[in-house]
Amino acid sequence: MSDFYPHQILQATIDKGAAKAAGSLPSLSVLGFLGGAFISLGYLAYLRLVGGMPHEWGSFAVLLGAAVFPIGLICILIGGAELITGNMMVLPTAWLAKRISLMQWGRNWLIVTLANLVGAMAVAWFFGHYVGLTEGEILPKTLAVASAKVNAGFGRALVSGIGCNWMVCMGVWLCYGAHTFSGKILGIWFPVMIFVLIGFQHVVANMFVIPAAIWAGSEITWAQFGENMVSVYLGNAIGGAIFVGMVYWVAYRHQLEQADSH
């Protein structure tokens, strides 16, 4: 079977959104926990790799770290899990197609967001703090990354969040358009790698790295964490819902209508 054209990806996205909206509370909770954990494990790999490299390597070290981060989204989209940033594109698209209600949209986002938070913080506490994988020789990198995120300010964090989820949701979009494991992995890999390389902010990744820094003894406060969550969440929502979901809905909905009429 050949890969999808863009208007066919739009249809696949709408169908995915309808299926996600119908998910049960236990299913969404378990899969949301996995989504938060998988993203955090990808970020943990990034920190372990970059934090152990010579400072002189600069951007090359960041490139190598960015190349391992996408394993989280690969596990989510191919293995099966729920991630709020991907759902920020998928659910609004299904709503635009009148396949789901606003109540279903909001229910999914609420459950998946909370489950992602639990999964991310579990990895931060047990693997990052208790095992010590974000501390020790890696601690300076953990603290530097977390501090940069909370000190960005509301506006810059919001705009950074837009850029992040524009790329993340393009990875989701391209994954839906491929039919083979290799095609899906490549579709996911490069957009996600680019957002990490640039340094954009991802709300679920921040759910991991900022608490990890706090538990390691950083001067970052939970109030700063909360402010970051709000700004990055809003930015991610705009990036996914508008810059991918709505844009492609406007661009290709007429082709869907034509296909349905034949």
Side-chain angles (χ1 to χ4, degrees), residues 17-18 21 91-92 94-96 98-108:
L91 273 294
W95 178 78
L96 286 170
K98 299 181 180 179
R99 291 282 300 278
I100 66 171
S101 67
L102 276 175
M103 184 73 72
Q104 290 176 303
W105 170 0
R107 171 183 174 273
N108 177 277

Side-chain angles (χ1 to χ4, degrees), residues 23-61:
S24 68
L25 175 60
S27 175
L28 291 175
S29 298
V30 170
L31 294 175
F33 177 90
L34 290 177
F38 287 150
I39 289 295
S40 300
L41 289 169
Y43 210 162
L44 181 57
Y46 169 90
L47 292 173
R48 299 291 299 176
L49 182 62
V50 177
M53 289 186 175
H55 180 73
E56 294 76 17
W57 285 34
S59 296
F60 181 66

